Amino acid sequence: MSDISVDGDRLLMRLKELGNIGRDAGGRLVRLAGSDGDKLGRDLFVCWLSQAGLDVAVDRIGNIFGIWRPAGTEDCQPLMLGSHIDTVINAGIYDGCYGVVAGLEVIQALKAANFRPIRPIAVAAFTNEEGVRFAPDMMGSLVYARGLDVDAALSTVGTDGAILGEELKRIGYAGAEAPGFLKPFAYVELHIEQGPVLEREGIALGAVENLQGISWQRITVEGTANHAGTTPINMRADAGYGAARIIAYLRERARSSATPTVATVGCLELEPNAINVIPSRATLTVDLRDPFEHRLKEESGALGAFLEMLAREEQLLISVEQLAQSSPVAFNREIVQMIEGAAEKRGLTCRRMTSGAGHDAQMIAPIAPTAMIFVPSCGGISHNPAEYTSKADLVAGANVLMDVVRHISSQACI
């Protein structure tokens, strides 16, 4: 099973070449969905697909597919690989891009070795996974899996006032295919971990068995603005203090729990934001994550009860807006076991993992058997120009992906 290997030099060269596209005047990698930089990245990817002799298709939401259809496989559902090539602002070069480039590399290595699958193999680059310019994130794969209407998605207004559908037309990637035109037999996504676990434990590979559920909330705390010097502490309705209590509560509850629940306050605004005025309003966001639905609901309920108590104690008015919610995803056990087996045959250490981040795989999972492979991220750093994974780890992950692809693409058509 491990007698074929990917071309590691070509894999690394392509990651670097793609990583040089979409740089701004300050040298930052900023390849937001529908932007000029996104167009250049897409153009390069399509060029590579054509050079590899793959059929290229683009659907209405701009998802790009390179499809290898050996003779006799036309009536079979394809095995799909992939991820995304859009980035955050000031990004690294591996997040998402590694899964797309490695998927193409696997197909090319198999073609060069005269491997003959009994079903097509496709590599996908999904639109707007990051969700920086257009919301929600993972939009292309969500539309593809029919979790969001394509026309509604195309009418999305970005942070700069641009409309996604118009931007896709402008850059030449408003495709003709209906989303979901290519129903996958299975989907496997290779990705950097974006966390510190594999590196810290000295493990070469992660077989991702599930993905955390996410609850995003915006909390508004309203108090009374007053003079910072003349208002006694016990006579204050201090919205800033209320926000601080919420932040401390979330941290201590997560720290004292035996579960993998995590909680983050990522945005905080105070009004009137003056040094000598007690805040009258605090607005903060809460990101709750857990791999089990019941625990995510428990944490949301516990937070709600704490907010009620806090409002009474501090004479505050507290309201909550649910911004987004996604359920945990359990990946396909058979594919997870294949990943473990392929790693073992390659002499690589492997552990099962939960993904703390969202990925296109979670959107595809409801329509096809799905799993993910993680490789280590140095320092656990991602969404940052310091994002780095060694060549050895990148090649190892791609080789395990290839072995899984050989196994799944040899399964009989139904």
Side-chain angles (χ1 to χ4, degrees):
M1 188 97 158
S2 59
D3 53 322
I4 305 174
S5 293
V6 300
D7 184 333
D9 290 336
R10 181 169 59 190
L11 174 67
L12 206 64
M13 177 192 70
R14 283 178 170 166
L15 282 170
K16 289 181 177 178
E17 188 176 354
L18 183 57
N20 284 328
I21 289 178
R23 299 277 171 178
D24 66 12
R28 304 182 308 166
L29 178 56
V30 186
R31 207 164 52 236
L32 305 185
S35 66
D36 293 340
D38 187 26
K39 171 182 170 52
L40 294 175
R42 288 165 172 270
D43 289 347
L44 180 62
F45 178 53
V46 168
C47 178
W48 289 337
L49 295 177
S50 297
Q51 289 174 349
L54 306 185
D55 296 334
V56 178
V58 181
D59 69 12
R60 290 184 59 205
I61 198 64
N63 297 323
I64 302 171
F65 303 89
I67 310 164
W68 179 29
R69 290 188 177 99
T73 67
E74 296 84 358
D75 295 331
C76 293
Q77 289 179 282
L79 166 61
M80 188 177 291
L81 319 173
S83 193
H84 64 96
I85 63 172
D86 67 307
T87 74
V88 297
I89 297 169
N90 202 21
I93 70 171
Y94 301 100
D95 174 19
C97 302
Y98 171 49
V100 173
V101 172
L104 173 58
E105 177 56 40
V106 163
I107 292 174
Q108 288 193 263
L110 292 176
K111 289 183 72 175
N114 294 316
F115 173 73
R116 288 292 175 263
I118 63 174
R119 65 178 59 257
I121 304 173
V123 57
F126 290 107
T127 295
N128 190 40
E129 193 272 353
E130 295 292 2
V132 176
R133 189 182 182 199
F134 300 98
D137 54 0
M138 294 168 284
M139 182 187 285
S141 51
L142 179 61
V143 170
Y144 193 78
R146 298 184 180 178
L148 175 64
D149 177 73
V150 62
D151 291 317
L154 291 172
S155 64
T156 301
V157 179
T159 56
D160 56 357
I163 298 173
L164 177 59
E166 294 178 1
E167 289 295 88
L168 289 173
K169 288 178 183 177
R170 183 183 66 83
I171 67 172
Y173 284 93
E177 300 288 352
F181 76 100
L182 197 67
K183 189 177 187 306
F185 174 77
Y187 177 80
V188 186
E189 182 168 347
L190 176 61
H191 210 283
I192 60 170
E193 181 193 351
Q194 298 182 282
V197 175
L198 292 174
E199 183 186 52
R200 288 188 181 180
E201 296 185 358
I203 295 175
L205 210 77
V208 185
E209 61 180 346
N210 56 14
L211 190 144
Q212 291 191 120
I214 303 173
S215 172
W216 282 359
Q217 301 172 51
R218 180 185 291 117
I219 300 174
T220 302
V221 183
E222 296 183 77
T224 303
N226 218 328
H227 196 289
T230 62
T231 312
I233 290 293
N234 63 353
M235 294 184 181
R236 298 183 178 196
D238 186 339
Y241 175 67
R245 289 272 304 268
I246 295 167
I247 295 169
Y249 163 81
L250 290 166
R251 174 76 175 210
E252 292 308 313
R253 183 174 173 85
R255 176 182 282 172
S256 62
S257 173
T259 72
T261 303
V262 292
T264 304
V265 173
C267 301
L268 174 62
E269 296 179 358
L270 300 179
E271 298 176 23
N273 201 34
I275 192 170
N276 60 347
V277 181
I278 299 167
S280 61
R281 178 190 292 260
T283 305
L284 62 157
T285 59
V286 175
D287 179 317
L288 288 174
R289 304 192 186 209
D290 193 280
F292 292 96
E293 183 83 34
H294 72 277
R295 283 207 302 255
L296 195 61
K297 290 181 178 178
E298 286 174 6
E299 292 306 312
S300 293
L303 174 58
F306 174 79
L307 295 177
E308 289 180 6
M309 180 273 294
L310 178 64
R312 288 194 304 270
E313 285 188 359
E314 297 299 327
Q315 301 177 62
L316 301 167
L317 179 63
I318 302 177
S319 58
V320 179
E321 177 187 1
Q322 189 76 46
L323 299 177
Q325 182 129 6
S326 61
S327 296
V329 174
F331 289 134
N332 183 268
R333 292 182 180 181
E334 291 184 13
I335 302 179
V336 172
Q337 291 171 352
M338 284 182 209
I339 294 166
E340 292 174 317
E344 182 179 2
K345 289 181 180 180
R346 290 273 178 180
L348 300 168
T349 52
C350 181
R351 62 160 285 176
R352 293 197 177 191
M353 300 188 70
T354 294
S355 173
H359 297 284
D360 291 311
Q362 79 186 75
M363 301 305 174
I364 303 300
I367 66 169
T370 298
M372 295 186 69
I373 303 169
F374 277 172
V375 295
S377 294
C378 291
I381 296 172
S382 183
H383 284 186
N384 185 309
E387 181 179 276
Y388 180 74
T389 297
S390 72
K391 177 182 176 181
D393 287 336
L394 293 170
V395 172
N399 279 329
V400 168
L401 175 65
M402 180 171 60
D403 294 343
V404 172
V405 167
R406 291 174 71 184
H407 191 285
I408 296 175
S409 66
S410 298
Q411 292 181 0
C413 295
I414 298 173

